[in-house]
Amino acid sequence: MDSDDRRLRIGLAADARFGWDAEDGRRTKGMHDRDFAVDLGPALRWQTDYGTLNAQWGFDAGSASKGQSAQLQFVRALIRGPGLRLNGLVGITWNDRRMNNYYYGVAPSEAAPGRPAYTAGAGTQLQAGVNGAWPAGERGSILFGLMATRLGSAQADSPIVETRIQPLAYVGYGWTF
């Protein structure tokens, strides 16, 4: 749903949570895999003269973790040309203990030498980065982004986490219908 001036939007969001195959990592070898899941929940987008504020809450619709999360993000246009569009963003995400423990916890049955059992509690993570688009033809765009996520202690203290800072870079192609 949109306001008349389209500055306020309320809707439903779906976010993918990619699990992991335990055999692919040296720290997770011998553990149980963590399944792919989708978080569903309400989302709010408020465009102001200073930038866009996004807020959303989600719960694990597939019951992999049975957890929930909430996110608050601020996005500001850095470049808005006829060609390049570039945005800066900062955000904070909170995950409840079930969500964090599913992805970062180590059950007693999964403990091994060098990998003690670990129960992750609720916690937050911080994000900062840029994303953008470059036109490619009449209806297409090259999409790109670079983001860094700083895990909170509940996640970073896990014996299966290698680094507190988690980088992400992507490039893709979008087509407008």
Side-chain angles (χ1 to χ4, degrees):
M1 295 186 310
D2 291 328
S3 62
D4 290 339
D5 62 1
R6 301 186 70 114
R7 293 177 70 108
L8 184 64
R9 287 185 167 183
I10 299 171
L12 182 65
D15 285 330
R17 285 205 185 261
F18 296 93
W20 41 268
D21 185 351
E23 294 303 310
D24 289 344
R26 68 178 175 81
R27 290 183 181 226
T28 57
K29 196 173 215 60
M31 292 178 66
H32 301 289
D33 296 341
R34 301 308 194 256
D35 295 329
F36 173 86
V38 175
D39 291 353
L40 289 176
L44 170 85
R45 187 179 92 187
W46 179 32
Q47 289 181 309
T48 72
D49 294 338
Y50 304 103
T52 301
L53 186 65
N54 295 314
Q56 69 184 62
W57 170 79
F59 69 95
D60 176 10
S63 295
S65 72
K66 299 177 179 62
Q68 54 186 317
S69 65
Q71 182 179 62
L72 189 61
Q73 189 178 68
F74 180 75
V75 181
R76 178 151 174 95
L78 302 174
I79 299 173
R80 275 283 180 252
L84 177 66
R85 291 183 317 218
L86 185 68
N87 301 311
L89 62 96
V90 294
I92 186 168
T93 301
W94 170 83
N95 296 323
D96 75 354
R97 66 173 179 74
R98 289 179 292 191
M99 182 81 68
N100 274 343
N101 198 47
Y102 182 75
Y103 291 103
Y104 298 97
V106 178
S109 63
E110 297 174 318
R115 184 179 63 221
Y118 179 75
T119 301
T124 58
Q125 58 196 41
L126 305 173
Q127 301 122 353
V130 294
N131 64 27
W134 184 266
E138 284 186 38
R139 297 172 67 182
S141 293
I142 304 296
L143 309 172
F144 58 89
L146 181 62
M147 185 173 312
T149 299
R150 182 184 185 277
L151 299 176
S153 295
Q155 300 148 333
D157 291 347
S158 171
I160 63 173
V161 171
E162 292 185 24
T163 60
R164 179 180 286 268
I165 304 295
Q166 304 286 308
L168 171 69
Y170 66 89
V171 175
Y173 180 78
W175 179 266
T176 303
F177 294 94

